[in-house]
Amino acid sequence: MKIDLNSDMGEGFGPYRLCDDEALMDVVSSANVACGFHAGDPKTMARMVRLAKARGVGVGAHPGLADRVGFGRREIPTDADDMRQQVLYQLGALASVARGEGVKLSHISFHAAMGSMINRDPELATSIMRAIRSVDADLIVFAMPDTELERAAQSNGLRTLTLFLADRAYDVAGQLVSRAVANSVIKDEASVRARVRQFMETGTVTTIEGGRLPVRARSILVHSDTPGSLELAKIVRSEVESAGGRIAPANEVLG
């Protein structure tokens, strides 16, 4: 089985860097590049694109709300058209930077609060997917399985790649547990290793309540701001390959 391993990249600003993007880029197969609102800037975006190009890593847009102080994790009330324009603005910025480096974007992955707001509003999700399709109908939409994002993307003719989050806890309903809850972010290597092995062998994840939940996914996400993200990503890759899988970019996974 081909599995994509993706991470959010370039989530610094100017001289400030959130993680070792260069080293992480050697491990992942897809990079979700911050587009300048919650993090990132033109120079950082160009650096990420160049790193990905040199390593054969797929480049995708990672748009978020315009909230650097809150790192795009605070919901900001806005109307549907404003959200649409925010997505288009960021997608266009990264697409132009990438084109200048001879790279075509492969996917889009929404950041934090922006993704949550789109995902719970079917009309908003439809509007955003139509906007994405109008820019590039070949873009792959990264989404959690069985969500409004996935349904809206598919109903508007966009390909989707469903995600398993190796470093976040799930509840019995298949939702991510709030970061405000203890043990919602999984940081220790042994737990991440066990979760990936379970996913590869049984297609399930153990919920925070202790039950087993089926997970329909072909891409594994490791958040770059999770402590020890580089080592966690290496563990994910090792476990996928030990189970007979092969790490590949999103376009290759979907064929």
Side-chain angles (χ1 to χ4, degrees), residues 4 38 67 115 182 184 190 240 248:
D4 174 58
H38 75 281
D67 179 23
S184 61
V240 168

Side-chain angles (χ1 to χ4, degrees), residues 80 136 175 254:
D136 187 349
Q175 302 298 310
L254 293 181

Side-chain angles (χ1 to χ4, degrees), residues 157-171:
L158 293 167
R159 294 179 296 164
T160 59
L161 191 64
T162 46
L163 301 170
F164 168 55
L165 277 61
D167 55 0
R168 290 295 308 280
Y170 289 72
D171 65 20

